[in-house]
Amino acid sequence: MGAPLLGGNMRFVDLSGRLLGAHVAHAGLIVLWAGAMTLFELSRLNVDLPMYEQNLILLPHLATLGLGIGENGQVIDTYPYYVIAMLHLISSAVLGAGGIYHGVLGPEKLDQQGFGYDWQDGKKMTSILGIHLVLLGIGAALLVLKANQWGGIYDPLVGEVRIVEPNLDPIRIFGYLFGFSPDGWTITGMASVNNLEDIVGGHLWVSLLCISGGIYHIFSEPTGWAKRALIWNGEAYLSYSLGALALAGFSVACFVSVNDIAYPSLFYGAIGETGDSVRAALASVHAALGFLALLGHLWHAYQARAASRGVDYGTFFDLVAKNSTQALTT
């Protein structure tokens, strides 16, 4: 209130169609960056030099997936990188058009019988959550299929692309969550994984859990304890999402810092080096973004809690001003 530049998507809180347009357009920007950045890196790629010495950050991901890679991690075909970049650019145009349509031309509010919603409608909110979980599960499953069926992925332990059979041992896979690695207990937890079988097996478990959980949430309603414990408004949902993003940012920062299976040293540089390696930069950026997401989570969670109690602080600066005023008067 009173600070339009800080309002963000709050102006669309009651306009589900316009909010959808903002989200689709945002997705288009992300995909546009991925495609354009891949083309940029491809334009300056020197196959005779390690990728990390050229400060590349996207092509190493594609190389890790086994695309265009021969023995000892040598780039032998750059055409797959070009195709992936163009697919992202084409997709960004489609998403951009969808964002413009829903943001300008489409209905301001979506049909409640379709994708329309009421923030306090627990059934619709959990259904939307379920759809997202299914999509995340499909994404994890695609990595499993790439590793096991569609050509394999690059294994730094043998220096070549190979088919990977996932390890489905639940004790081994879920033990990583509690710090139990093949080499004993470690504070790095999941980032201590030291073989592709466990990585692919972990993604398969994630896929199964996300898809099954998503189907459950699509067809079920919130339980009594969930209705009482959670706050059912848009700002609360935003805080939950930012909390998940913070966890993801910190996890990636840890992985890229200490793991050379998911982030092979051949493509990212040796662990612990800060010279030509891009690990330090990637870890720092992800940690910083994770920290910002954590701050956003705490702020919006506080806002949501305050709103549920009938208190409105507006922006962060309003909160500071009111608390400062109260401190001065007391």
Side-chain angles (χ1 to χ4, degrees):
M1 303 298 292
L5 290 178
L6 300 177
N9 287 332
M10 183 60 72
R11 70 196 72 181
F12 303 137
V13 67
D14 296 319
L15 305 176
S16 56
R18 296 294 182 258
L19 185 60
L20 174 63
H23 279 68
V24 174
H26 186 203
L29 288 174
I30 295 172
V31 178
L32 173 65
W33 176 87
M37 191 66 180
T38 300
L39 282 181
F40 171 72
E41 292 190 359
L42 184 59
S43 69
R44 62 196 299 269
L45 172 66
N46 184 346
V47 297
D48 296 323
L49 295 175
M51 290 186 178
Y52 60 84
E53 289 186 3
Q54 304 174 64
N55 295 320
L56 305 180
I57 58 174
L58 296 186
L59 293 187
H61 280 290
L62 299 180
T64 302
L65 292 173
L67 299 171
I69 297 298
E71 291 186 2
N72 299 317
Q74 180 66 33
V75 177
I76 59 176
D77 185 8
T78 60
Y79 186 66
Y81 306 153
Y82 172 76
V83 171
I84 289 173
M86 293 308 300
L87 287 175
H88 278 78
L89 290 179
I90 294 171
S91 300
S92 72
V94 176
L95 290 168
I100 292 174
Y101 171 77
H102 287 289
V104 179
L105 302 175
E108 290 188 343
K109 293 185 177 181
L110 300 175
D111 185 358
Q112 289 282 357
Q113 300 301 318
F115 289 98
Y117 51 82
D118 178 351
W119 293 115
Q120 296 183 349
D121 183 352
K123 178 65 172 65
K124 180 56 71 72
M125 290 297 105
T126 53
S127 295
I128 294 174
L129 169 63
I131 293 172
H132 282 74
L133 287 173
V134 170
L135 293 175
L136 287 172
I138 292 173
L142 289 175
L143 176 64
V144 176
L145 290 172
K146 176 64 177 72
N148 186 250
Q149 300 291 330
W150 300 337
I153 56 180
Y154 179 75
D155 187 349
L157 297 180
V158 298
E160 62 183 20
V161 178
R162 68 177 181 89
I163 297 294
V164 180
E165 293 293 335
N167 178 14
L168 299 180
D169 180 4
I171 297 178
R172 176 72 167 264
I173 299 302
F174 291 100
Y176 286 108
L177 296 176
F178 304 97
F180 295 103
S181 73
D183 300 321
W185 190 88
T186 172
I187 196 173
T188 56
M190 290 187 296
S192 63
V193 62
N194 61 5
N195 63 87
L196 289 181
E197 283 74 15
D198 287 357
I199 289 179
V200 177
H203 278 80
L204 183 53
W205 272 108
V206 167
S207 175
L208 293 174
L209 290 173
C210 284
I211 292 176
S212 59
I215 293 174
Y216 169 78
H217 284 296
I218 289 174
F219 294 103
S220 67
E221 295 188 13
T223 58
W225 73 265
K227 290 180 179 179
R228 295 188 299 270
L230 301 176
I231 298 176
W232 301 87
N233 62 43
E235 192 145 28
Y237 306 145
L238 174 60
S239 74
Y240 305 149
S241 300
L242 286 170
L245 285 176
L247 179 60
F250 294 140
S251 297
V252 174
C254 182
F255 256 95
V256 74
S257 298
V258 303
N259 191 282
D260 58 359
I261 301 297
Y263 293 88
S265 297
L266 181 65
F267 304 133
Y268 293 91
I271 294 176
E273 291 188 4
T274 58
D276 295 323
S277 175
V278 296
R279 289 183 184 273
L282 287 174
S284 298
V285 169
H286 281 88
L289 292 176
F291 180 69
L292 288 176
L294 178 60
L295 291 180
H297 161 71
L298 295 174
W299 165 246
H300 288 290
Y302 182 74
Q303 282 279 84
R305 178 66 67 182
S308 69
R309 297 174 177 174
V311 180
D312 182 15
Y313 287 119
T315 69
F316 172 77
F317 303 102
D318 296 329
L319 173 65
V320 173
K322 290 182 179 182
N323 284 347
S324 298
T325 302
Q326 292 175 0
L328 290 174
T329 55
T330 56

